[in-house]
Amino acid sequence: MDSEEPHVKRSRVLDPSQCIICLVPLVGSTKGPYMKAPTAVGLQSILDAAQLQRDSVYFNIWSHSEEILNFQCKVSYHKSCRAKYTSKTNLAYKTDEPKS
């Protein structure tokens, strides 16, 4: 039996028809407009926020970050999800947790 393991453990396969933040399908969603062809700046802001928060978004996308930024892995997101996820207020609240 061949037991070759990938260099980096992959999370689920990213589905370009779902928002990478909320995982809700883009088409038919009540979350409003979405980006099917995001810019490198938009993608980098999501990755930066994910790295700070280390939440479920981080664990879903981080192993794919290089492919996402090089446009080798197609991803999409709701504009409202990106705005909320990357807002300075949200990030300050999430990263202001008490340090032990």
Coordinates of all heavy atoms in Angstrom, one line a residue:
M1 N 0.8 -1.2 0.0 CA 0.0 0.0 0.0 C 0.9 1.2 0.0 O 1.8 1.4 0.8 CB -0.9 0.0 1.2 CG -1.9 1.0 1.2 SD -3.1 0.8 2.6 CE -4.6 1.2 1.8
D2 N 0.6 2.2 -0.9 CA 1.4 3.4 -1.0 C 0.9 4.4 0.1 O -0.3 4.8 0.1 CB 1.2 4.0 -2.4 CG 2.5 4.3 -3.1 OD1 3.5 4.0 -2.6 OD2 2.4 4.9 -4.1
S3 N 1.7 4.8 1.0 CA 1.3 5.7 2.0 C 2.0 7.1 1.9 O 2.5 7.6 2.9 CB 1.5 5.1 3.4 OG 2.9 5.0 3.6
E4 N 2.0 7.6 0.7 CA 2.6 9.0 0.5 C 1.6 10.0 1.1 O 0.5 10.1 0.7 CB 2.8 9.3 -1.0 CG 4.0 8.5 -1.5 CD 4.3 8.9 -3.0 OE1 4.0 10.1 -3.3 OE2 4.7 8.1 -3.7
E5 N 2.1 10.8 2.1 CA 1.3 11.8 2.6 C 1.7 13.1 2.1 O 2.9 13.4 1.8 CB 1.5 11.8 4.2 CG 1.0 10.5 4.8 CD 0.5 10.7 6.2 OE1 0.2 11.9 6.6 OE2 0.5 9.7 6.9
P6 N 0.7 14.0 1.9 CA 1.1 15.3 1.3 C 2.0 16.1 2.3 O 2.0 15.9 3.5 CB -0.2 16.0 1.1 CG -1.2 15.3 1.9 CD -0.7 13.9 2.1
H7 N 2.9 17.0 1.7 CA 3.8 17.8 2.5 C 3.0 18.6 3.6 O 3.4 18.6 4.7 CB 4.6 18.7 1.6 CG 5.5 19.6 2.4 ND1 6.5 19.2 3.2 CD2 5.5 21.0 2.5 CE1 7.1 20.2 3.7 NE2 6.5 21.3 3.4
V8 N 1.9 19.2 3.2 CA 1.1 20.0 4.1 C -0.3 19.3 4.1 O -0.9 19.0 3.1 CB 0.9 21.4 3.6 CG1 -0.1 22.2 4.5 CG2 2.2 22.1 3.6
K9 N -0.8 19.0 5.3 CA -2.1 18.4 5.5 C -3.1 19.4 4.9 O -3.2 20.5 5.3 CB -2.4 18.1 6.9 CG -3.7 17.4 7.1 CD -4.0 17.0 8.5 CE -5.3 16.3 8.6 NZ -5.7 16.0 9.9
R10 N -3.9 18.9 3.9 CA -4.9 19.8 3.3 C -6.2 19.7 4.0 O -6.6 18.7 4.5 CB -5.1 19.3 1.8 CG -3.9 19.4 0.9 CD -3.8 20.7 0.4 NE -2.6 20.8 -0.4 CZ -2.2 21.9 -0.9 NH1 -2.8 23.0 -0.7 NH2 -1.1 21.9 -1.7
S11 N -6.8 20.9 4.1 CA -8.2 20.9 4.6 C -9.1 20.5 3.5 O -8.7 20.0 2.4 CB -8.5 22.3 5.1 OG -8.4 23.2 4.0
R12 N -10.4 20.7 3.6 CA -11.3 20.4 2.6 C -10.9 21.1 1.2 O -10.2 22.1 1.2 CB -12.7 20.8 3.0 CG -12.9 22.3 3.1 CD -14.3 22.7 3.4 NE -14.4 24.1 3.4 CZ -14.6 24.8 2.3 NH1 -14.7 24.2 1.1 NH2 -14.7 26.1 2.3
V13 N -11.4 20.5 0.2 CA -11.2 21.1 -1.2 C -12.0 22.4 -1.2 O -13.2 22.4 -0.8 CB -11.6 20.1 -2.3 CG1 -11.5 20.8 -3.6 CG2 -10.7 18.9 -2.2
L14 N -11.4 23.5 -1.7 CA -12.1 24.7 -1.8 C -13.1 24.7 -3.0 O -12.7 24.4 -4.1 CB -11.2 25.9 -1.9 CG -10.2 26.0 -0.7 CD1 -9.2 27.2 -1.0 CD2 -11.0 26.3 0.5
D15 N -14.3 25.1 -2.8 CA -15.3 25.1 -3.8 C -15.6 26.5 -4.3 O -16.0 27.4 -3.5 CB -16.6 24.5 -3.2 CG -17.7 24.4 -4.3 OD1 -17.6 25.0 -5.4 OD2 -18.8 23.8 -3.9
P16 N -15.2 26.9 -5.5 CA -15.4 28.2 -6.0 C -16.8 28.7 -6.1 O -17.1 29.9 -6.3 CB -14.7 28.2 -7.4 CG -14.7 26.8 -7.8 CD -14.7 26.0 -6.6
S17 N -17.8 27.8 -5.9 CA -19.2 28.2 -5.9 C -19.7 28.6 -4.5 O -20.8 29.0 -4.4 CB -20.1 27.1 -6.5 OG -20.1 26.0 -5.7
Q18 N -18.8 28.5 -3.5 CA -19.1 28.8 -2.2 C -18.2 29.9 -1.7 O -17.1 30.0 -2.1 CB -18.9 27.6 -1.2 CG -19.9 26.5 -1.3 CD -19.5 25.4 -0.3 OE1 -18.4 25.3 0.1 NE2 -20.6 24.7 0.0
C19 N -18.7 30.8 -0.8 CA -17.9 31.8 -0.1 C -16.9 31.1 0.7 O -17.2 30.2 1.5 CB -18.9 32.7 0.7 SG -18.0 33.9 1.7
I20 N -15.6 31.6 0.6 CA -14.5 30.9 1.4 C -14.6 31.4 2.9 O -13.9 30.8 3.7 CB -13.1 31.2 0.8 CG1 -12.8 32.7 0.8 CG2 -12.9 30.6 -0.5 CD1 -11.4 33.0 0.5
I21 N -15.4 32.3 3.2 CA -15.6 32.8 4.6 C -16.7 32.1 5.3 O -16.6 31.5 6.3 CB -15.7 34.3 4.6 CG1 -14.4 34.9 4.0 CG2 -15.9 34.8 6.0 CD1 -14.4 36.4 3.7
C22 N -17.9 32.2 4.7 CA -19.1 31.7 5.3 C -19.5 30.3 4.8 O -20.4 29.6 5.4 CB -20.3 32.6 5.2 SG -21.0 32.7 3.6
L23 N -18.9 29.8 3.7 CA -19.2 28.5 3.1 C -20.6 28.4 2.6 O -21.0 27.3 2.2 CB -18.9 27.4 4.1 CG -17.5 27.4 4.7 CD1 -17.3 26.2 5.6 CD2 -16.4 27.3 3.6
V24 N -21.3 29.5 2.4 CA -22.7 29.5 1.8 C -22.5 29.6 0.3 O -21.7 30.4 -0.2 CB -23.5 30.6 2.4 CG1 -24.8 30.8 1.6 CG2 -23.8 30.4 3.9
P25 N -23.3 28.9 -0.5 CA -23.2 29.0 -1.9 C -23.5 30.5 -2.4 O -24.3 31.2 -1.8 CB -24.4 28.1 -2.4 CG -24.5 27.1 -1.4 CD -24.3 27.8 -0.1
L26 N -22.8 30.9 -3.4 CA -22.8 32.3 -3.8 C -24.2 32.6 -4.5 O -24.8 33.6 -4.2 CB -21.7 32.6 -4.7 CG -20.3 32.5 -4.1 CD1 -19.2 32.6 -5.2 CD2 -20.1 33.5 -3.1
V27 N -24.5 31.7 -5.4 CA -25.8 31.9 -6.2 C -27.0 31.6 -5.3 O -27.0 30.6 -4.7 CB -25.7 31.0 -7.5 CG1 -27.0 31.2 -8.3 CG2 -24.6 31.4 -8.4
G28 N -27.9 32.5 -5.3 CA -29.1 32.3 -4.6 C -29.0 32.7 -3.1 O -30.0 32.6 -2.3
S29 N -27.9 33.2 -2.7 CA -27.7 33.6 -1.3 C -28.3 35.0 -1.0 O -28.4 35.8 -1.9 CB -26.2 33.7 -1.0 OG -25.9 34.3 0.2
T30 N -28.7 35.1 0.2 CA -29.3 36.4 0.6 C -28.2 37.4 1.1 O -28.5 38.5 1.5 CB -30.3 36.2 1.7 OG1 -29.7 35.6 2.8 CG2 -31.5 35.4 1.3
K31 N -26.9 37.0 1.0 CA -25.8 37.8 1.5 C -25.4 38.8 0.5 O -24.4 39.5 0.7 CB -24.7 36.9 1.9 CG -25.0 36.0 3.1 CD -23.8 35.3 3.6 CE -24.1 34.6 4.8 NZ -23.3 34.9 6.0
G32 N -26.0 38.9 -0.6 CA -25.7 40.0 -1.6 C -24.7 39.6 -2.6 O -24.4 38.5 -2.9
P33 N -24.1 40.7 -3.2 CA -23.2 40.5 -4.3 C -21.9 39.7 -3.9 O -21.6 39.7 -2.7 CB -22.8 41.9 -4.8 CG -23.4 42.8 -3.9 CD -24.3 42.1 -2.9
Y34 N -21.3 39.1 -4.8 CA -20.1 38.3 -4.5 C -19.0 38.6 -5.6 O -19.3 39.1 -6.7 CB -20.4 36.8 -4.4 CG -21.1 36.3 -5.7 CD1 -20.4 35.8 -6.7 CD2 -22.5 36.2 -5.7 CE1 -21.0 35.3 -7.9 CE2 -23.1 35.7 -6.8 CZ -22.4 35.2 -7.9 OH -23.0 34.7 -9.0
M35 N -17.8 38.2 -5.2 CA -16.6 38.3 -6.1 C -16.3 36.9 -6.6 O -15.9 36.1 -5.9 CB -15.4 38.9 -5.4 CG -15.5 40.3 -5.0 SD -15.5 41.4 -6.3 CE -13.9 41.2 -7.0
K36 N -16.4 36.7 -7.9 CA -16.0 35.5 -8.5 C -14.6 35.6 -9.1 O -13.9 34.6 -9.3 CB -16.9 35.1 -9.7 CG -18.2 34.5 -9.1 CD -19.0 33.8 -10.2 CE -18.5 32.4 -10.3 NZ -19.4 31.4 -10.6
A37 N -14.1 36.8 -9.3 CA -12.7 37.0 -9.7 C -12.0 38.0 -8.8 O -11.8 39.1 -9.2 CB -12.7 37.5 -11.2
P38 N -11.7 37.6 -7.6 CA -11.1 38.5 -6.6 C -9.7 38.9 -7.0 O -9.0 38.3 -7.8 CB -11.1 37.7 -5.3 CG -11.3 36.3 -5.7 CD -11.9 36.2 -7.1
T39 N -9.3 40.1 -6.5 CA -8.0 40.6 -6.8 C -7.0 40.1 -5.8 O -7.4 39.6 -4.7 CB -8.0 42.2 -6.7 OG1 -8.3 42.5 -5.3 CG2 -9.0 42.8 -7.6
A40 N -5.7 40.2 -6.1 CA -4.7 39.8 -5.1 C -4.8 40.5 -3.8 O -4.6 40.0 -2.8 CB -3.3 39.9 -5.8
V41 N -5.1 41.8 -3.9 CA -5.3 42.6 -2.7 C -6.4 42.1 -1.8 O -6.3 42.0 -0.6 CB -5.5 44.1 -3.1 CG1 -5.8 45.0 -1.8 CG2 -4.2 44.7 -3.8
G42 N -7.5 41.8 -2.4 CA -8.7 41.3 -1.7 C -8.4 40.0 -1.0 O -8.7 39.7 0.1
L43 N -7.7 39.1 -1.8 CA -7.4 37.8 -1.3 C -6.3 37.9 -0.1 O -6.4 37.2 0.9 CB -6.8 36.9 -2.4 CG -7.8 36.6 -3.5 CD1 -7.1 35.9 -4.6 CD2 -8.9 35.7 -2.9
Q44 N -5.4 38.8 -0.3 CA -4.3 39.0 0.7 C -5.0 39.5 2.0 O -4.6 39.1 3.1 CB -3.2 39.9 0.3 CG -2.1 40.0 1.2 CD -1.3 38.7 1.4 OE1 -0.8 38.2 0.4 NE2 -1.3 38.2 2.6
S45 N -6.0 40.4 1.9 CA -6.6 40.9 3.1 C -7.3 39.8 3.9 O -7.3 39.8 5.1 CB -7.5 42.1 2.8 OG -8.7 41.6 2.1
I46 N -7.9 38.9 3.2 CA -8.6 37.8 3.8 C -7.6 36.9 4.5 O -7.8 36.4 5.6 CB -9.5 37.0 2.8 CG1 -10.6 37.8 2.3 CG2 -10.0 35.7 3.4 CD1 -11.4 37.2 1.2
L47 N -6.5 36.6 3.8 CA -5.5 35.7 4.4 C -4.8 36.3 5.6 O -4.5 35.7 6.6 CB -4.4 35.4 3.3 CG -4.9 34.4 2.2 CD1 -3.9 34.4 1.1 CD2 -5.1 33.0 2.8
D48 N -4.6 37.7 5.5 CA -4.0 38.4 6.7 C -4.9 38.3 7.9 O -4.5 38.0 9.0 CB -3.7 39.8 6.3 CG -2.6 40.0 5.3 OD1 -1.8 39.0 5.1 OD2 -2.5 41.1 4.8
A49 N -6.2 38.5 7.6 CA -7.2 38.4 8.7 C -7.3 37.0 9.3 O -7.4 36.8 10.5 CB -8.6 38.9 8.2
A50 N -7.3 36.0 8.4 CA -7.3 34.7 8.8 C -6.1 34.3 9.7 O -6.3 33.6 10.7 CB -7.4 33.7 7.6
Q51 N -5.0 34.8 9.3 CA -3.8 34.5 10.1 C -3.8 35.1 11.5 O -3.4 34.5 12.5 CB -2.5 35.0 9.3 CG -1.2 34.5 10.0 CD 0.0 34.9 9.2 OE1 -0.1 35.8 8.4 NE2 1.0 34.1 9.4
L52 N -4.4 36.3 11.6 CA -4.6 36.9 12.9 C -5.6 36.2 13.8 O -5.4 36.0 15.0 CB -5.0 38.4 12.7 CG -4.0 39.4 12.3 CD1 -4.6 40.7 12.0 CD2 -3.0 39.5 13.4
Q53 N -6.7 35.8 13.1 CA -7.8 35.2 13.9 C -7.6 33.7 14.2 O -8.2 33.2 15.2 CB -9.1 35.4 13.2 CG -9.4 36.9 13.0 CD -10.7 37.2 12.4 OE1 -11.8 36.7 12.9 NE2 -10.7 37.8 11.3
R54 N -6.9 33.0 13.4 CA -6.7 31.5 13.5 C -8.1 30.8 13.8 O -8.2 30.0 14.8 CB -5.7 31.2 14.7 CG -4.4 31.8 14.4 CD -3.5 31.0 13.6 NE -2.3 31.6 13.3 CZ -1.2 31.0 13.1 NH1 -1.1 29.7 13.1 NH2 -0.1 31.6 12.8
D55 N -9.0 31.1 13.0 CA -10.4 30.6 13.2 C -10.7 29.5 12.1 O -9.7 29.0 11.5 CB -11.4 31.7 13.2 CG -11.4 32.5 11.9 OD1 -10.6 32.1 11.0 OD2 -12.1 33.4 11.7
S56 N -11.9 29.1 12.0 CA -12.3 28.1 11.0 C -11.9 28.5 9.6 O -11.6 27.7 8.7 CB -13.8 27.8 11.1 OG -14.6 28.9 10.8
V57 N -12.0 29.8 9.3 CA -11.6 30.3 7.9 C -10.1 30.0 7.7 O -9.7 29.5 6.7 CB -11.9 31.8 7.7 CG1 -11.4 32.3 6.4 CG2 -13.4 32.1 7.9
Y58 N -9.3 30.3 8.7 CA -7.9 30.0 8.6 C -7.6 28.6 8.3 O -6.9 28.2 7.4 CB -7.2 30.5 9.9 CG -5.8 30.0 10.1 CD1 -4.8 30.8 9.5 CD2 -5.4 28.9 10.7 CE1 -3.5 30.4 9.6 CE2 -4.1 28.5 10.8 CZ -3.1 29.3 10.3 OH -1.8 28.9 10.4
F59 N -8.3 27.7 9.1 CA -8.0 26.3 8.9 C -8.5 25.7 7.6 O -8.0 24.7 7.1 CB -8.6 25.5 10.1 CG -7.8 25.7 11.4 CD1 -8.3 26.5 12.4 CD2 -6.5 25.2 11.5 CE1 -7.6 26.7 13.5 CE2 -5.8 25.5 12.6 CZ -6.3 26.3 13.7
N60 N -9.5 26.4 7.0 CA -10.1 26.0 5.7 C -9.2 26.4 4.6 O -9.1 25.7 3.5 CB -11.5 26.5 5.5 CG -12.5 25.7 6.3 OD1 -12.3 24.6 6.6 ND2 -13.6 26.4 6.6
I61 N -8.6 27.6 4.7 CA -7.9 28.2 3.5 C -6.3 28.2 3.6 O -5.7 28.3 2.6 CB -8.4 29.6 3.2 CG1 -8.1 30.6 4.2 CG2 -9.9 29.5 2.8 CD1 -8.4 32.0 3.9
W62 N -5.8 28.2 4.9 CA -4.4 28.5 5.0 C -3.5 27.5 4.2 O -2.5 28.0 3.6 CB -4.0 28.5 6.5 CG -2.6 29.2 6.6 CD1 -1.4 28.6 6.8 CD2 -2.3 30.6 6.4 NE1 -0.4 29.5 6.8 CE2 -0.9 30.7 6.5 CE3 -3.1 31.7 6.1 CZ2 -0.3 31.9 6.4 CZ3 -2.5 32.9 5.9 CH2 -1.1 33.0 6.1
S63 N -3.8 26.3 4.2 CA -2.9 25.3 3.5 C -3.0 25.6 1.9 O -2.1 25.1 1.2 CB -3.3 23.9 3.8 OG -4.6 23.6 3.3
H64 N -3.9 26.3 1.5 CA -4.1 26.7 0.1 C -3.6 28.1 -0.2 O -3.8 28.6 -1.3 CB -5.5 26.6 -0.3 CG -6.1 25.2 -0.1 ND1 -5.9 24.2 -0.9 CD2 -6.9 24.8 0.9 CE1 -6.6 23.1 -0.5 NE2 -7.2 23.5 0.6
S65 N -3.0 28.8 0.8 CA -2.8 30.2 0.6 C -1.9 30.6 -0.6 O -2.1 31.5 -1.3 CB -2.2 30.8 1.9 OG -1.0 30.2 2.2
E66 N -0.8 29.8 -0.8 CA 0.0 30.1 -1.9 C -0.7 29.9 -3.3 O -0.6 30.8 -4.1 CB 1.3 29.2 -1.9 CG 2.3 29.6 -2.9 CD 3.6 28.8 -2.7 OE1 4.0 28.5 -1.6 OE2 4.2 28.4 -3.7
E67 N -1.4 28.9 -3.4 CA -2.2 28.6 -4.6 C -3.3 29.7 -4.8 O -3.5 30.1 -5.9 CB -2.9 27.3 -4.6 CG -1.9 26.1 -4.7 CD -1.5 25.5 -3.3 OE1 -1.8 26.2 -2.3 OE2 -1.1 24.4 -3.3
I68 N -3.9 30.2 -3.7 CA -4.9 31.2 -3.8 C -4.3 32.5 -4.3 O -4.8 33.1 -5.3 CB -5.6 31.4 -2.4 CG1 -6.5 30.2 -2.1 CG2 -6.4 32.7 -2.4 CD1 -7.0 30.3 -0.7
L69 N -3.1 32.9 -3.7 CA -2.5 34.1 -4.1 C -1.9 34.1 -5.5 O -1.7 35.1 -6.2 CB -1.4 34.5 -3.1 CG -1.9 35.0 -1.8 CD1 -0.8 35.2 -0.8 CD2 -2.8 36.3 -1.9
N70 N -1.5 32.9 -6.0 CA -1.0 32.7 -7.4 C -2.1 32.4 -8.4 O -1.8 32.1 -9.5 CB 0.0 31.6 -7.4 CG 1.3 32.0 -6.7 OD1 1.7 33.2 -6.7 ND2 1.9 31.0 -6.0
F71 N -3.4 32.5 -7.9 CA -4.5 32.2 -8.8 C -4.5 30.8 -9.4 O -5.1 30.6 -10.4 CB -4.7 33.3 -9.8 CG -4.9 34.7 -9.3 CD1 -3.8 35.6 -9.2 CD2 -6.1 35.1 -8.8 CE1 -3.9 36.9 -8.7 CE2 -6.2 36.4 -8.2 CZ -5.2 37.2 -8.2
Q72 N -3.9 29.9 -8.7 CA -3.9 28.5 -9.1 C -5.1 27.8 -8.5 O -5.5 26.7 -9.0 CB -2.6 27.8 -8.7 CG -1.4 28.4 -9.4 CD -0.1 27.9 -8.8 OE1 -0.1 27.5 -7.6 NE2 0.9 27.9 -9.6
C73 N -5.7 28.4 -7.5 CA -6.8 27.8 -6.8 C -7.9 28.9 -6.8 O -7.8 29.9 -6.2 CB -6.5 27.5 -5.4 SG -7.8 26.8 -4.4
K74 N -9.0 28.6 -7.6 CA -10.0 29.6 -7.8 C -10.9 29.6 -6.5 O -11.4 28.6 -6.1 CB -10.9 29.3 -9.0 CG -11.9 30.3 -9.3 CD -12.6 30.0 -10.6 CE -13.6 31.2 -10.8 NZ -14.3 31.0 -12.0
V75 N -11.1 30.8 -6.0 CA -12.0 31.0 -4.8 C -12.9 32.2 -5.0 O -12.6 33.1 -5.9 CB -11.2 31.2 -3.5 CG1 -10.4 30.0 -3.1 CG2 -10.3 32.4 -3.6
S76 N -13.9 32.3 -4.3 CA -14.9 33.4 -4.4 C -15.4 33.7 -2.9 O -15.2 32.9 -2.0 CB -16.1 33.0 -5.2 OG -15.7 32.5 -6.5
Y77 N -16.0 34.9 -2.8 CA -16.5 35.3 -1.5 C -17.6 36.3 -1.7 O -17.6 37.0 -2.7 CB -15.4 35.8 -0.6 CG -14.6 36.9 -1.2 CD1 -15.0 38.2 -1.2 CD2 -13.3 36.6 -1.7 CE1 -14.2 39.2 -1.8 CE2 -12.5 37.5 -2.3 CZ -12.9 38.9 -2.3 OH -12.1 39.8 -2.8
H78 N -18.5 36.4 -0.7 CA -19.5 37.5 -0.7 C -18.8 38.8 -0.3 O -17.9 38.8 0.6 CB -20.6 37.2 0.4 CG -21.4 36.0 0.1 ND1 -21.2 34.8 0.8 CD2 -22.4 35.8 -0.8 CE1 -22.1 34.0 0.4 NE2 -22.8 34.5 -0.6
K79 N -19.1 39.9 -1.0 CA -18.5 41.1 -0.6 C -18.7 41.5 0.8 O -17.8 42.0 1.5 CB -19.0 42.2 -1.6 CG -18.5 42.1 -3.0 CD -19.0 43.2 -3.9 CE -18.5 43.0 -5.3 NZ -19.0 44.1 -6.2
S80 N -19.9 41.2 1.3 CA -20.3 41.6 2.7 C -19.5 40.7 3.7 O -19.1 41.2 4.7 CB -21.8 41.4 2.9 OG -22.2 40.1 2.7
C81 N -19.2 39.5 3.4 CA -18.4 38.6 4.2 C -17.0 39.1 4.3 O -16.4 39.2 5.4 CB -18.4 37.2 3.7 SG -20.0 36.3 3.9
R82 N -16.4 39.5 3.2 CA -15.0 40.0 3.2 C -15.0 41.3 4.0 O -14.1 41.5 4.8 CB -14.5 40.2 1.8 CG -13.1 40.8 1.8 CD -12.6 41.2 0.4 NE -11.4 41.9 0.5 CZ -11.3 43.3 0.6 NH1 -12.4 44.0 0.6 NH2 -10.2 43.9 0.7
A83 N -15.9 42.2 3.8 CA -15.9 43.5 4.5 C -16.0 43.3 6.0 O -15.2 43.9 6.8 CB -17.1 44.3 4.0
K84 N -16.8 42.4 6.4 CA -17.0 42.1 7.9 C -15.8 41.4 8.4 O -15.2 41.8 9.5 CB -18.2 41.3 8.1 CG -18.5 41.0 9.6 CD -19.8 40.3 9.8 CE -20.0 40.0 11.3 NZ -21.2 39.2 11.5
Y85 N -15.3 40.4 7.7 CA -14.2 39.6 8.2 C -12.9 40.3 8.3 O -12.1 40.1 9.2 CB -14.0 38.4 7.3 CG -13.1 37.3 7.8 CD1 -13.5 36.5 8.9 CD2 -11.8 37.1 7.3 CE1 -12.6 35.5 9.4 CE2 -10.9 36.2 7.8 CZ -11.3 35.4 8.8 OH -10.5 34.4 9.3
T86 N -12.7 41.3 7.4 CA -11.4 42.0 7.4 C -11.5 43.4 8.0 O -10.5 44.2 7.9 CB -10.9 42.2 5.9 OG1 -11.8 42.9 5.1 CG2 -10.7 40.8 5.3
S87 N -12.6 43.8 8.5 CA -12.8 45.1 9.1 C -11.8 45.3 10.3 O -11.6 44.4 11.1 CB -14.2 45.4 9.6 OG -14.5 44.7 10.8
K88 N -11.3 46.5 10.4 CA -10.3 46.8 11.5 C -11.0 46.6 12.8 O -10.4 46.2 13.8 CB -9.8 48.2 11.3 CG -8.8 48.3 10.1 CD -8.2 49.6 10.0 CE -7.3 49.7 8.7 NZ -6.7 50.9 8.5
T89 N -12.3 47.0 12.9 CA -13.0 46.9 14.2 C -13.1 45.4 14.6 O -12.9 45.0 15.7 CB -14.4 47.5 14.1 OG1 -14.3 48.9 13.7 CG2 -15.2 47.4 15.4
N90 N -13.5 44.6 13.6 CA -13.6 43.1 13.9 C -12.3 42.5 14.3 O -12.2 41.8 15.2 CB -14.2 42.4 12.7 CG -14.5 41.0 12.9 OD1 -15.0 40.6 14.0 ND2 -14.2 40.2 11.9
L91 N -11.3 42.9 13.6 CA -9.9 42.3 13.9 C -9.4 42.8 15.2 O -8.8 42.0 16.0 CB -8.9 42.7 12.8 CG -9.2 42.1 11.4 CD1 -8.2 42.6 10.4 CD2 -9.1 40.6 11.5
A92 N -9.7 44.0 15.6 CA -9.2 44.5 16.9 C -10.0 43.8 18.0 O -9.4 43.4 19.0 CB -9.5 46.0 17.0
Y93 N -11.3 43.5 17.8 CA -12.0 42.8 18.8 C -11.6 41.4 18.9 O -11.4 40.9 20.0 CB -13.5 42.8 18.4 CG -14.4 42.0 19.3 CD1 -14.8 42.4 20.5 CD2 -14.9 40.8 18.8 CE1 -15.6 41.6 21.4 CE2 -15.7 40.0 19.6 CZ -16.0 40.4 20.9 OH -16.8 39.6 21.7
K94 N -11.3 40.7 17.8 CA -10.9 39.3 17.8 C -9.5 39.1 18.4 O -9.2 38.1 19.0 CB -10.9 38.7 16.4 CG -12.3 38.7 15.8 CD -13.0 37.4 16.1 CE -14.3 37.4 15.4 NZ -14.8 36.1 15.1
T95 N -8.6 40.1 18.2 CA -7.2 39.9 18.6 C -6.9 40.6 19.9 O -5.8 40.5 20.4 CB -6.2 40.5 17.5 OG1 -6.5 41.9 17.3 CG2 -6.3 39.7 16.3
D96 N -7.9 41.2 20.6 CA -7.8 41.9 21.9 C -8.1 40.9 23.0 O -8.5 41.4 24.1 CB -8.7 43.1 21.9 CG -7.9 44.4 21.8 OD1 -6.7 44.3 21.7 OD2 -8.6 45.4 21.9
E97 N -8.0 39.6 22.8 CA -8.3 38.7 23.8 C -7.2 38.8 24.9 O -6.1 39.0 24.6 CB -8.4 37.3 23.2 CG -9.6 37.2 22.3 CD -9.6 35.8 21.6 OE1 -8.9 34.9 22.0 OE2 -10.4 35.6 20.7
P98 N -7.6 38.5 26.2 CA -6.6 38.6 27.3 C -5.5 37.6 27.0 O -5.7 36.4 26.6 CB -7.5 38.2 28.5 CG -8.9 38.1 28.1 CD -8.9 38.1 26.6
K99 N -4.3 38.0 27.3 CA -3.1 37.1 27.1 C -2.9 36.5 28.5 O -2.9 37.1 29.5 CB -1.9 38.0 26.7 CG -2.2 38.9 25.5 CD -2.0 38.1 24.2 CE -2.0 39.0 23.0 NZ -3.2 39.3 22.4
S100 N -2.5 35.2 28.5 CA -2.3 34.5 29.8 C -0.8 34.5 30.1 O 0.1 34.7 29.3 CB -2.8 33.1 29.8 OG -3.2 32.6 28.7

